[in-house]
């Protein structure tokens, strides 16, 4: 895993130093960011659920998992992501926490929920994504995620989950936090969400997912190469998402400056 992590550093540095973070200067900019980023918060759960289905036992009748340690890891991550506590101590998934936080500063979530609720079949999901009322760069991000899931290779899904999400979150969210005005009470819930993710993913879920990926690759050279390749694509997909959001923010600013 160390070799993969080292090879990914140049792409991770691009994300750490992305100019998007400096482009978000107002609540309106933040609305553009969260309206797109919310889909990355949501599709993350499909990666997680694929891993849970394949690495734990959820069938009836029940039987022991092939690897109890890995099952424990994934179940603990599921519990943290699906039933964490918000700033008031209420049980809530991270996705619901995110929706609640963006509603607090004026983002309307009706269309977001309508879009997500329309994606109910893996067999048609690529075509269904194409029909959504969202930007093309967000569609491309979602299509990549579900293409990895539909391919069905557990170690590749775990690699995207690990290097494209859990290991990456603190690096992305810390610069975002630095740019948010913490004196604006409307943003308190979003700030809590970011801080909670930095804490949980940096201290617990990141190392746990790395251990899971190490077990799934099991020093198999082919699997390690596939894990590296798909992780690079996952990071490039995130960079494209960040590029798209930044371009949208700049386009909107340029429009208002002209009128």
């Amino acid at each position: 895993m160390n070799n993969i992590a080292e090879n990914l550093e140049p792409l991770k540095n691009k994300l750490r130093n992305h100019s998007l973070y400096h482009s978000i200067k107002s609540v309106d900019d933040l609305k553009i960011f969260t309206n797109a980023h919310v889909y990355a918060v949501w599709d993350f759960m499909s990666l997680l659920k694929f891993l849970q289905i394949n690495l734990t036992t959820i069938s009836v009748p029940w039987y022991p998992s092939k690897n109890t340690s890995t099952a424990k890891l994934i179940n603990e991550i599921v519990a943290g992501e699906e039933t964490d506590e918000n700033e008031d101590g209420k049980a809530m998934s991270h996705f619901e926490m995110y929706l609640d936080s963006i509603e607090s500063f004026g983002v309307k979530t009706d269309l977001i929920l309508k879009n997500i609720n329309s994606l109910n079949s893996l067999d048609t999901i690529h075509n269904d994504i194409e029909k959504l009322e969202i930007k093309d760069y967000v569609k491309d991000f979602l299509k990549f995620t579900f293409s990895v899931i539909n391919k069905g290779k557990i170690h590749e899904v775990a690699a995207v989950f690990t290097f494209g999400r859990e290991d990456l979150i603190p690096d992305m969210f810390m610069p975002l936090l630095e740019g948010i005005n913490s004196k604006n009470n409307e943003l308190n819930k979003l700030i809590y969400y970011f801080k909670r993710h930095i804490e949980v993913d940096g201290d617990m879920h990141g190392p746990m997912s790395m251990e899971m990926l190490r077990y799934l690759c099991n020093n198999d050279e082919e699997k390690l190469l596939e894990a590296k390749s798909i992780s690079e694509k996952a990071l490039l997909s995130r960079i494209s998402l960040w590029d798209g959001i930044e371009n949208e923010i700049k386009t909107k600013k340029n429009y208002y400056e002209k009128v």
Side-chain angles (χ1 to χ4, degrees):
M1 292 307 107
N2 290 338
N3 287 339
I4 295 178
E6 288 174 10
N7 287 326
L8 294 175
E9 271 303 301
L11 290 174
K12 288 182 71 175
N13 277 330
K14 280 190 175 182
L15 281 163
R16 290 186 187 111
N17 302 306
H18 201 288
S19 51
L20 168 66
Y21 309 123
H22 302 294
S23 299
I24 301 173
K25 297 178 180 178
S26 68
V27 171
D28 284 340
D29 297 340
L30 203 56
K31 286 179 180 179
I32 292 172
F33 171 80
T34 53
N35 257 310
H37 177 245
V38 66
Y39 292 96
V41 177
W42 172 76
D43 77 345
F44 165 84
M45 289 303 297
S46 290
L47 292 166
L48 178 56
K49 285 299 174 178
F50 177 91
L51 292 170
Q52 186 185 28
I53 290 166
N54 285 277
L55 296 175
T56 69
T57 303
I58 59 170
S59 63
V60 179
W62 177 88
Y63 54 89
S65 172
K66 292 179 181 178
N67 185 285
T68 308
S69 296
T70 305
K72 182 176 186 294
L73 286 172
I74 204 70
N75 279 334
E76 287 184 1
I77 294 174
V78 168
E81 296 288 345
E82 201 167 34
T83 54
D84 200 3
E85 292 184 355
N86 69 0
E87 70 280 4
D88 298 319
K90 180 182 177 182
M92 191 177 284
S93 70
H94 284 178
F95 173 66
E96 292 167 307
M97 203 182 294
Y98 195 83
L99 286 180
D100 186 47
S101 73
I102 65 179
E103 284 178 343
S104 68
F105 59 89
V107 176
K108 297 186 183 302
T109 59
D110 292 352
L111 180 58
I112 294 168
L113 289 170
K114 178 185 174 184
N115 282 334
I116 286 167
N117 289 333
S118 72
L119 302 173
N120 51 24
S121 171
L122 280 177
D123 293 332
T124 62
I125 197 157
H126 274 61
N127 289 332
D128 293 339
I129 288 170
E130 193 57 43
K131 297 173 186 174
L132 297 181
E133 296 177 54
I134 54 177
K135 300 293 184 179
D136 285 344
Y137 65 85
V138 182
K139 291 179 183 179
D140 291 341
F141 186 87
L142 288 173
K143 286 177 183 177
F144 170 76
T145 298
F146 286 101
S147 69
V148 177
I149 291 170
N150 273 328
K151 194 174 177 184
K153 291 190 175 184
I154 302 176
H155 62 284
E156 288 192 346
V157 175
V160 171
F161 181 85
T162 301
F163 288 114
R165 303 297 178 104
E166 295 289 37
D167 181 57
L168 191 63
I169 293 300
D171 288 337
M172 293 189 303
F173 283 2
M174 280 192 277
L176 278 170
L177 263 179
E178 290 171 5
I180 293 176
N181 181 4
S182 59
K183 293 179 181 179
N184 186 338
N185 291 333
E186 291 181 335
L187 303 182
N188 285 347
K189 289 185 176 183
L190 186 66
I191 290 169
Y192 175 85
Y193 171 88
F194 285 146
K195 286 183 175 179
R196 181 64 178 153
H197 257 68
I198 291 168
E199 174 190 353
V200 171
D201 293 339
D203 296 341
M204 293 178 281
H205 292 180
M208 289 163 71
S209 59
M210 202 75 73
E211 186 178 336
M212 171 186 64
L213 182 58
R214 187 175 290 110
Y215 162 75
L216 290 171
C217 289
N218 195 28
N219 289 321
D220 182 298
E221 194 62 35
E222 184 178 352
K223 288 181 178 179
L224 287 168
L225 286 172
E226 288 178 337
K228 173 181 173 292
S229 176
I230 203 68
S231 297
E232 288 174 348
K233 291 175 182 176
L235 293 177
L236 288 169
S237 178
R238 176 71 71 163
I239 290 169
S240 293
L241 180 67
W242 266 203
D243 289 345
I245 296 172
E246 183 179 25
N247 288 335
E248 190 177 347
I249 289 172
K250 287 181 176 178
T251 299
K252 188 154 287 188
K253 284 181 178 177
N254 289 337
Y255 172 77
Y256 284 118
E257 285 173 3
K258 291 175 182 177
V259 295

